[in-house]
Amino acid sequence: ADKADIPLSAKAATLSQIWHMRVALNVAALACRGPGSSALVAGYNRMLHKRDALLAMAQEAAYADYGGRSKSNGYDSAMTRLYNHYAQPFAQADFCTTAQRVQRAEEKIAEASYRQFVAAALDDLDAPFAAPPARQAQARLAPARLTPTSQATGRVTRASTPSPSARKRRKR
């Protein structure tokens, strides 16, 4: 497979995997809304504080993996692709559920077994994005509509089935 086709977390070195998990949980903390989202944000912030030295080493490893800190290297492009990977709309519901579970488990992991945890956590965090291409296309083509939850939050969701009012209009 072409290097660009491989999920970034799958080709990362161990310290870079830690950085990639931080990116995934950062996307989740920013994008996931609904039950458990405030706990996810609080847990993410606790992780940043508790693992600050390890995360600093992980960021340096990610810089090294992608050619340094210069904007002309591949780091910025790689991180943009990684953030975009975890922000794909078709998988957000499953991703958010998984991210909440991973974040809760992360808090209980001792430093000695952290790297093994991260490798397994990345597999879990990437799983929602391994959807069949048809599901991806369906999500991209589905019309956006407000659901009762999204009306309260102001967040527009994509639905593959028509809204109840649209179904009534079709029956007429």
Side-chain angles (χ1 to χ4, degrees):
D2 182 8
K3 184 177 178 181
D5 295 334
I6 299 170
L8 293 173
S9 57
K11 64 183 180 193
T14 303
L15 278 172
S16 287
Q17 284 179 324
I18 293 169
W19 189 250
H20 288 202
M21 186 185 77
R22 188 216 54 89
V23 167
L25 294 177
N26 180 242
V27 170
L30 293 170
C32 298
R33 295 292 170 255
S37 63
S38 59
L40 177 65
V41 171
Y44 173 76
N45 287 327
R46 283 190 301 273
M47 179 191 73
L48 293 179
H49 180 71
K50 179 179 179 181
R51 314 268 188 204
D52 62 339
L54 181 60
L55 290 172
M57 289 189 308
Q59 185 177 29
E60 289 301 320
Y63 284 141
D65 285 350
Y66 296 104
R69 295 174 188 238
S70 166
K71 287 198 181 260
S72 63
N73 68 31
Y75 177 81
D76 283 346
S77 176
M79 291 302 109
T80 298
R81 286 193 323 272
L82 186 60
Y83 273 88
N84 287 343
H85 169 72
Y86 289 117
Q88 294 177 81
F90 78 90
Q92 283 306 290
D94 291 340
F95 171 67
C96 290
T97 300
T98 301
Q100 289 173 352
R101 185 177 40 75
V102 166
Q103 182 281 312
R104 285 190 306 269
E106 187 279 337
E107 292 190 286
K108 299 171 188 164
I109 302 300
E111 195 77 25
S113 55
Y114 199 70
R115 291 179 189 216
Q116 291 79 14
F117 167 77
V118 169
L122 280 172
D123 287 343
D124 290 347
L125 290 164
D126 283 336
F129 301 97
R135 180 173 166 213
Q136 294 176 28
Q138 181 183 15
R140 281 193 301 272
L141 298 174
R145 68 174 166 86
L146 289 175
T147 62
T149 302
S150 65
Q151 289 172 352
T153 64
R155 187 169 169 219
V156 176
T157 59
R158 298 228 173 250
S160 59
T161 57
S163 67
S165 59
R167 284 193 297 268
K168 285 180 187 175
R169 284 193 301 270
R170 273 196 267 179
K171 289 180 181 179
R172 293 181 194 168

